Amino acid sequence: MSTKVPHRLAILFDVDGTLIISGGAGADSWRLAFDELYGIPADIGKFTDTGMTDPDVGRKTFEAVLHREPAPAEFSKLLERRLHYLHQTVRESKHYQVLDGVAELLPKLLAEGYLLGLVTGNLEAAAHIKMHRGKLNRFFSFGGYGSDSSDRAEVTRIALRRAALVFGAELGPERCVVVGDTPHDADAAHAAGIACVGVASHNFNAEQLREGGADWVIESLKDGLPQAALA
Ligand SMILES: [Mg+2]
């Protein structure tokens, strides 16, 4: 019996729009945190865009509604309140969902010998709070997060270094593939030397993802990842 040694070894998944949809829980938690601390129910959607990391979202929104930069202690308090409310908003979200195919695909990839990680703009704790409701945290033994860098390419490189720590061996970018739902995911993956599968399950359709640079595009994770992306 031959042991399968896949060319690709690690698969890095984006969180929001790729594995789960939080149904607005992220924005709701920021609004509640700003409202409690400053009496302003700030709408992050007005001041930030989807590719930004959590620390950038918090800082930009703070500056927009309070017209100054947050002091470090204020910012740390804001992040604490935001994570506090995120537990509640994820739990109560009516439109939270684990996206099609995810619950079947993750155990299958593990069984086939792939290493699974996360690469996301969420603060590390925020990613885990969002994934907890779908019982998905257990599949991921490493990751790069918005709390590691505001540059998503650097977040991706950090995810690879974390994989090396967990598995005890260096992991080159050519042995990885990123799976994400936006052109930002493809840009960050490419900047780190990694190929990207675009999943047209949420904000972007297949054509937009193809134009945005994804190396392969699929409609959802229901039929698994393209063989060529795993070979
Ligand atoms: Mg996403």
Side-chain angles (χ1 to χ4, degrees):
M1 201 178 109
S2 69
T3 310
K4 187 188 172 207
V5 183
H7 176 67
R8 309 253 191 224
L9 181 58
I11 307 171
L12 305 175
F13 285 88
D14 166 60
V15 173
D16 294 291
T18 301
L19 295 172
I20 60 135
I21 287 172
S22 76
D28 288 347
S29 63
W30 284 113
R31 183 173 47 73
L32 290 165
F34 274 103
D35 199 21
E36 181 196 307
L37 292 171
Y38 301 103
I40 304 167
D43 175 5
I44 57 162
K46 279 193 192 147
F47 314 114
T48 63
D49 17 88
T50 50
M52 283 184 190
T53 62
D54 271 348
D56 282 349
V57 166
R59 195 171 289 108
K60 287 235 156 42
T61 304
F62 188 104
E63 287 170 8
V65 298
L66 289 153
H67 312 293
R68 61 183 177 83
E69 287 180 14
E74 285 177 314
F75 197 51
S76 127
K77 183 71 181 166
L78 174 66
L79 295 178
E80 185 274 328
R81 288 287 85 193
R82 190 270 169 147
L83 289 171
H84 167 82
Y85 284 116
L86 187 60
H87 284 282
Q88 175 190 327
T89 57
V90 167
R91 195 172 55 238
E92 294 174 354
S93 173
K94 290 193 172 55
H95 301 290
Y96 181 97
Q97 78 182 97
V98 174
L99 285 164
D100 280 351
V102 168
E104 297 76 27
L105 179 63
L106 297 177
K108 182 170 171 278
L109 291 173
L110 277 184
E112 289 172 357
Y114 295 99
L115 315 179
L116 305 185
L118 297 176
V119 59
T120 170
N122 281 289
L123 278 191
E124 183 167 358
H128 294 143
I129 292 167
K130 288 179 178 177
M131 305 252 297
H132 176 73
R133 179 167 159 183
K135 300 189 172 62
L136 298 179
N137 282 317
R138 70 187 196 277
F139 292 108
F140 300 96
S141 47
F142 65 96
Y145 304 91
S147 34
D148 295 321
S149 172
S150 62
D151 171 2
R152 290 178 68 106
E154 181 60 12
V155 168
T156 308
R157 287 188 282 267
I158 287 169
L160 289 196
R161 293 207 284 277
R162 297 250 169 79
L165 290 174
V166 172
F167 298 104
E170 285 302 315
L171 194 60
E174 73 288 351
R175 304 222 53 201
C176 301
V177 63
V178 164
V179 182
D181 70 309
T182 74
H184 297 295
D185 298 310
D187 286 346
H190 292 164
I194 303 177
C196 182
V197 177
V199 190
S201 50
H202 191 42
N203 285 324
F204 293 87
N205 64 33
E207 195 183 325
Q208 290 170 316
L209 291 175
R210 221 167 271 125
E211 279 171 11
D215 301 278
W216 303 273
V217 176
I218 53 179
E219 290 295 334
S220 84
L221 292 174
K222 240 185 337 203
D223 300 317
L225 295 173
Q227 267 315 311
L230 296 173

